[in-house]
């Protein structure tokens, strides 16, 4: 009898408190975001200098949220041939770093004359750098973007970051304990690669951009606010209405709350850094957002509404032409023609 009573108490109380707590947390995160935004942001659109100064406190808080470590090379960069296909020259680059870390990437260079333009191309969550060059891209989501970049005269630096849900979940738990994110460590490694890439290929430091697909789109969105060397960007298959994406299940899109990807719930993100606000830290540099109408990571109408909240800041500074939403007809994939044309224009 006691066991039956105990079980019934626990089930009923758990159900009641779980519903209460989930409702409270969702209301706090979602309904309270507008008030937090108003308190956290003091943007001044008088001119670019005033704008940069007004968002600097937010930029510092963003750096703290990522927990970016200071990393330095621990030895010379190592380069070896890494042939992937006959029409593209590719090498594997490894840079030893302090604290036992290393930064690794595929480096692809155009043949013949080129003008120093470099694109950092970041792969997605369950992938590798080679996929941008048509290797192992069974889904076709990358459309040989790296190959087309090289054909059109860009050098491509494609860093490798740990892939897979389980692997990133495990690493993220450790990063959270230290008060940061795995993405902050990955950003620090990428900066170290940028420090040495000019020694490996002809790179004009004023003509560097970034393009990422899916979780690589996250990297572009997360890193550009803190790396001024990235002069233009393309975010493919990531930018979203983040409040719903993280906290509000909806049949029109996949909510992270209902998936095993708990590494995507970044502590403190929804205090002030929903996607439109985070994107505003890139302003007034040029950035394109790509989203497929058949991509269930987000509902296109909500993605477009969030984008409009970001676009306002470029428009108020007189640079509406520097920000663009490309809603294409595909799914969870890049749209290479518009992205490369964008990078050609701004780099």
């Amino acid at each position: 009898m006691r066991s039956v009573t105990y079980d019934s108490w626990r089930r009923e109380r758990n159900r009641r408190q779980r519903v209460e707590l989930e409702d409270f947390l969702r209301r706090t995160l979602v309904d309270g975001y507008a008030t937090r935004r108003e308190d956290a942001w003091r943007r001044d659109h008088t001119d670019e200098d005033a704008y940069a100064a007004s968002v600097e406190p937010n930029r510092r808080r963003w750096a703290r949220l990522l927990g970016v470590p200071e990393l330095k090379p621990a030895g010379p960069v190592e380069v070896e041939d890494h042939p992937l296909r006959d029409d593209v020259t590719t090498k594997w680059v490894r840079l030893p770093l302090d604290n036992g870390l290393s930064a690794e990437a595929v480096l692809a260079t155009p043949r013949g004359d080129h003008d120093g333009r470099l694109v950092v191309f970041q792969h997605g969550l369950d992938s590798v750098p080679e996929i941008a060059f048509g290797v192992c891209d069974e889904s076709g989501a990358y459309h040989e973007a790296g190959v087309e970049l090289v054909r059109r005269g860009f050098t491509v630096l494609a860093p490798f970051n740990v892939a897979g849900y389980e692997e990133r979940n495990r690493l993220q738990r450790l990063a959270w304990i230290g008060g940061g994110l795995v993405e902050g460590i990955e950003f620090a490694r990428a900066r170290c690669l940028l420090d040495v890439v000019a020694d490996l290929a002809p790179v004009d430091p004023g003509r560097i951009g970034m393009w990422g697909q899916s979780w690589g789109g996250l990297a572009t969105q997360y890193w550009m606010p803190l790396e001024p060397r990235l002069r233009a960007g393309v975010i493919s298959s990531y930018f979203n209405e983040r409040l719903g994406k993280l906290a509000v299940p909806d049949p029109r899109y996949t909510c992270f709350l209902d998936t095993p990807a708990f590494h995507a719930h970044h502590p403190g993100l929804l205090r002030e850094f929903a996607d439109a606000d985070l994107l505003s830290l890139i302003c007034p540099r040029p950035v394109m957002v790509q989203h497929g109408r058949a991509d269930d990571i987000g509902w296109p109408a909500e993605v477009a509404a969030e984008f409009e909240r970001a676009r306002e800041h470029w428009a108020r500074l007189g640079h509406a032409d520097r920000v663009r939403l490309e809603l294409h007809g595909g799914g969870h994939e890049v749209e290479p023609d518009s992205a490369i044309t964008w990078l050609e224009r701004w780099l």
Side-chain angles (χ1 to χ4, degrees):
M1 180 64 181
R2 291 179 59 189
S3 176
V4 173
T5 302
Y6 169 83
D7 289 343
S8 63
W9 286 343
R10 181 177 58 84
R11 284 195 303 271
E12 174 56 27
R13 292 168 182 172
N14 266 355
R15 186 201 64 79
R16 184 179 69 250
Q17 290 215 358
R18 183 193 62 79
V19 171
E20 289 176 358
L21 283 167
E22 185 165 323
D23 181 62
F24 165 76
L25 290 167
R26 185 173 288 114
R27 281 187 287 107
T28 301
L29 288 169
V30 178
D31 299 343
Y33 186 80
T35 300
R36 292 195 299 277
R37 174 194 286 128
E38 186 174 345
D39 291 340
W41 295 86
R42 295 288 187 271
R43 298 182 183 90
D44 183 346
H45 296 89
T46 302
D47 57 38
E48 291 185 25
D49 290 339
Y51 182 85
S54 70
V55 301
E56 185 58 29
N58 307 84
R59 198 184 312 277
R60 289 195 297 267
R61 290 195 291 271
W62 177 242
R64 288 198 296 271
L65 190 151
L66 280 185
V68 184
E70 291 291 334
L71 297 179
K72 297 179 180 178
V77 62
E78 304 163 7
V79 182
E80 61 182 51
D81 290 336
H82 187 53
L84 299 176
R85 48 192 299 158
D86 293 338
D87 56 343
V88 179
T89 301
T90 48
K91 298 182 181 296
W92 184 255
V93 174
R94 179 181 180 274
L95 178 63
L97 303 172
D98 53 3
N99 295 311
L101 296 171
S102 63
E104 299 176 296
V106 170
L107 179 66
T109 53
R111 296 172 181 172
D113 296 334
H114 53 96
D115 54 16
R117 293 174 299 173
L118 171 72
V119 171
V120 178
F121 189 95
Q122 186 60 61
H123 65 78
L125 180 66
D126 195 17
S127 192
V128 292
E130 290 84 353
I131 200 168
F133 302 95
V135 179
C136 302
D137 186 12
E138 297 178 0
S139 69
Y142 289 79
H143 296 282
E144 298 188 349
V147 177
E148 189 59 28
L149 282 166
V150 172
R151 286 174 180 161
R152 289 162 72 165
F154 293 89
T155 295
V156 178
L157 181 70
F160 173 67
N161 288 322
V162 171
Y165 280 95
E166 293 183 5
E167 293 87 343
R168 294 193 73 88
N169 283 344
R170 181 180 179 87
L171 292 170
Q172 197 74 290
R173 285 200 297 266
L174 292 170
W176 286 338
I177 293 169
L181 300 176
V182 170
E183 289 78 7
I185 303 170
E186 292 167 341
F187 170 52
R189 295 191 313 196
R191 284 199 302 195
C192 290
L193 287 172
L194 284 178
D195 291 341
V196 303
V197 70
D199 298 329
L200 308 177
V203 173
D204 182 339
R207 307 184 78 181
I208 299 174
M210 185 168 181
W211 180 8
Q213 159 66 1
S214 191
W215 215 246
L218 173 145
T220 307
Q221 189 166 300
Y222 275 32
W223 300 353
M224 282 192 71
L226 301 178
E227 181 48 76
R229 287 177 291 184
L230 300 172
R231 303 300 181 92
V234 178
I235 299 165
S236 297
S237 310
Y238 181 76
F239 180 89
N240 219 316
E241 199 289 294
R242 194 61 47 187
L243 306 178
K245 180 66 177 178
L246 290 176
V248 185
D250 190 304
R252 297 173 300 176
Y253 58 81
T254 302
C255 174
F256 275 134
L257 194 60
D258 291 335
T259 77
F262 62 80
H263 66 86
H265 285 82
H266 297 158
L269 183 68
L270 296 187
R271 280 200 296 264
E272 62 185 283
F273 296 115
D275 286 26
D277 290 310
L278 183 53
L279 211 67
S280 76
L281 290 179
I282 301 173
C283 180
R285 284 172 289 163
V287 64
M288 169 184 278
V289 169
Q290 293 188 335
H291 181 80
R293 295 183 184 277
D295 189 352
D296 68 358
I297 69 159
W299 185 243
E302 292 187 350
V303 171
E306 182 74 359
F307 177 81
E308 285 303 308
R309 286 187 280 271
R311 192 186 70 84
E312 170 193 357
H313 306 297
W314 277 266
R316 291 180 66 178
L317 289 172
H319 297 306
D321 62 329
R322 294 186 184 179
V323 63
R324 177 177 168 185
L325 172 62
E326 180 75 16
L327 282 174
H328 58 83
H332 196 65
E333 59 191 296
V334 305
E335 201 296 295
D337 291 339
S338 62
I340 297 175
T341 299
W342 181 261
L343 293 167
E344 286 179 325
R345 176 183 180 185
W346 295 110
L347 296 180

